[in-house]
Amino acid sequence: GGEVRPVAVGSERELGREMDALGQQLRNEEDWAARLKALQRLRGLAAGGACGLGSFGERLRALRDPLTAQCGELRSSLVKEACRALVAISGAMRDAFEPFVDVYLPPLLKNTVVTIAVISQSSHAAVLAILMATPTPRALPRLLGGMGDRSATMRSRCTEYLTRLLQRLPAASAGAERSPLERHLDAICLALRAALSDALSDVRAHARCAFWALHRHAEPRAARLLAGLEEQIGRLLLEEREAAQAGYEGQLAALDPLSPAHAAALLAPPTSRPRSSSPHQRTPAASAPTDESPAPLRRAPSPGP
């Protein structure tokens, strides 16, 4: 089942014994059922508060290889349980999970385009939950790279993830010396320019949402990007601004990773099989939620970024 019993540990030594045992079980290539139970036990530890112990991060780092291997399994039940564990751990660790985002994002992104629905949907939900629980610019290179992928589904997914990440990241305060996004702005604008003209409508829709999410962080750069776009694209962006502002807070509340109901809903079994236009490509998800934008913006004939 989806629920696990919380596992309480009373000391760092007890946590060490638990994590060492889980490591051995996750490396048991002959017994997939043992690995499944280990993943459930790991989720139970997260539910029991183990992530708050000082050595948990170090112990989790030691599980990097076997846990990553479960994300890449062909057996869908193992992948789904690995995703559940990562959702639980990131939700408990919050910012402390940041060093692990680079570790687990690549295999999860790869899974989002496979044709096995349980694997692709579980991985998609896990990426969303991780980005919401641990919003970090460290995820940007992977997401921006995926926006240029040959797979239309990957481009759509990563553009949606970019939107969610930009929405979740706090905007720099007026007195801040530098925005944490500053070093990534050129790459973000370049990826968005391409996505706004993508052949797939879902990618374009996600890109328009991402534009308004970017505007919240870097209004001058967003204005420069808008000014360099084709007139039709710019008109669509401006038409969608009001809807973006109205939907921003509600969408974030609906995706609160700290809510147990949210995590359960993300990883619940699908109620119906998603339609697919071909055996090699799933139908992309619906358009991502939109974002608020604080100040007036008009197209101007200035050069692009």
Side-chain angles (χ1 to χ4, degrees), residues 29-189:
E29 298 182 1
E30 304 300 324
D31 188 352
W32 69 267
R35 283 179 278 147
L36 184 66
K37 290 180 179 178
L39 291 169
Q40 293 169 341
R41 183 79 174 179
L42 180 59
R43 186 153 57 101
L45 286 169
C51 298
L53 295 176
S55 65
F56 185 83
E58 179 183 352
R59 296 291 183 179
L60 181 62
R61 192 172 293 109
L63 296 182
R64 168 179 175 163
D65 290 344
L67 191 51
T68 301
Q70 306 318 304
C71 294
E73 265 284 340
L74 295 179
R75 191 179 292 272
S76 60
S77 58
L78 284 172
V79 176
K80 184 169 185 174
E81 196 56 49
C83 289
R84 283 173 163 166
L86 291 173
V87 168
I89 292 169
S90 62
M93 293 181 71
R94 305 295 299 280
D95 291 342
F97 190 76
E98 183 176 8
F100 300 98
V101 172
D102 289 341
V103 174
Y104 297 108
L105 197 56
L108 292 176
L109 288 177
K110 184 178 179 181
N111 282 349
T112 62
V113 298
V114 302
T115 57
I116 302 173
V118 172
I119 291 178
S120 59
Q121 292 171 0
S122 298
S123 299
H124 172 60
V127 172
L128 288 174
I130 289 170
L131 293 179
M132 295 295 288
T134 314
T136 169
R138 293 177 62 162
L140 284 169
R142 298 286 185 182
L143 301 184
L144 297 176
M147 288 173 65
D149 196 86
R150 294 180 61 183
S151 164
T153 302
M154 178 67 79
R155 296 198 306 274
S156 179
R157 291 295 198 199
C158 286
T159 311
E160 177 183 3
Y161 302 147
L162 174 66
T163 304
R164 301 290 177 87
L165 178 60
L166 292 176
Q167 289 174 339
R168 191 68 170 180
L169 283 169
S173 60
E177 294 183 1
R178 183 178 182 183
S179 165
L181 290 178
E182 186 172 336
R183 62 188 293 261
H184 300 283
L185 286 177
D186 287 344
I188 292 173
C189 289

Side-chain angles (χ1 to χ4, degrees), residues 211-244:
F211 172 85
W212 289 115
L214 174 65
H215 178 262
R216 175 171 155 265
H217 292 276
E219 182 181 346
R221 288 304 301 270
R224 287 172 55 191
L225 175 59
L226 176 65
L229 297 173
E230 295 180 7
E231 182 177 356
Q232 181 180 4
I233 297 173
R235 185 169 62 251
L236 278 173
L237 280 169
L238 293 174
E239 288 174 354
E240 292 183 5
R241 179 178 181 173
E242 184 176 349

Side-chain angles (χ1 to χ4, degrees), residues 147 150 152 155 193-205:
M147 288 173 65
R150 294 180 61 183
R155 296 198 306 274
R193 177 184 289 276
L196 286 164
S197 301
D198 196 274
L200 188 69
S201 61
D202 274 14
V203 176
R204 299 194 301 271

Side-chain angles (χ1 to χ4, degrees), residues 246-260:
Y248 169 67
E249 292 185 0
Q251 291 288 355
L252 285 188
L255 284 168
D256 183 358
L258 301 183
S259 164

